[in-house]
Structure formats: C-alpha cells, structure tokens
Amino acid sequence: MSFAQNAATLPETEPAFYRLADVIRITALSRSSIYRRIAAGEFPPQVSLGGRATGWRREALQSWVGDPSGFRPLDTCEVRHSAAGARVRHVAASPDRPPLRRG
C-alpha cells in the first residue's frame, strides 16, 4: 500500500493545540487584536508547549468561537501531584463568577 493510500485512511482529527497562524485563520482576528483581547480577559490565553513554543487549547478556542461575548477566562489554579510525583497544574473558571460583559 502506498503512502498516499495510508494517508487517505487516517482519521482526520483536530489538534489538541492550535498555533498562532491557525488561531488567526479560525477567528479572523489580527495578531495584535488577539493579544489585546488576551490582556483584557476577552480571549483565551496561550499555553506553553515547551521551549519557546506556545499554543491555544482546542476547547478554549471552541468555547470562545461559540460565545465570544460570554467568554470567561480561567482564573483558579491549583497544583496537584500525579501518581509518579510530577506537579500538574489544574486551571478552571470560578463557577460563581459571571461572564465578562463589555460594552
């Protein structure tokens, strides 16, 4: 079986993280608009992917695309430890905090 046939049978899945070029294409926002909205708490912040690489979580972007005006930034963070002893950050939105409304 050739490479093209193998590639055609692979399932098309969405990536777990999107890079800046993908975010610009998906949201139709400019680079500066994205970072301005992050600073204002109106857009999901990027996460470190290691080294100098950053990306946006698929779930956060889907949430923002679904309701841009009702977006709530994740604001609680607790450090947990895995069974192997690694530190893992768990970030979530406060359930009692209403969504930001800017007008």
Side-chain angles (χ1 to χ4, degrees):
M1 189 178 294
S2 71
F3 176 76
Q5 290 172 335
N6 283 339
T9 60
L10 293 176
E12 299 248 351
T13 59
E14 294 184 35
F17 296 94
Y18 288 103
R19 301 298 301 269
L20 180 60
D22 298 322
V23 174
I24 290 171
R25 182 181 48 80
I26 291 167
T27 63
L29 295 173
S30 68
R31 178 184 180 277
S32 58
S33 293
I34 290 169
Y35 287 116
R36 189 177 321 112
R37 288 175 184 230
I38 290 170
E42 300 171 351
F43 194 81
Q46 68 271 34
V47 296
S48 175
L49 300 177
R52 291 177 35 186
T54 60
W56 281 261
R57 288 188 170 93
R58 179 183 63 230
E59 298 83 15
L61 280 179
Q62 287 174 340
S63 172
W64 185 86
V65 168
D67 186 14
S69 63
F71 173 75
R72 291 187 327 181
L74 303 177
D75 57 2
T76 63
C77 180
E78 76 179 64
V79 177
R80 299 179 183 171
H81 289 80
S82 69
R87 290 178 45 184
V88 179
R89 289 188 319 161
H90 177 72
V91 182
S94 295
D96 56 339
R97 183 173 165 197
L100 292 174
R101 298 285 181 196
R102 302 217 185 247

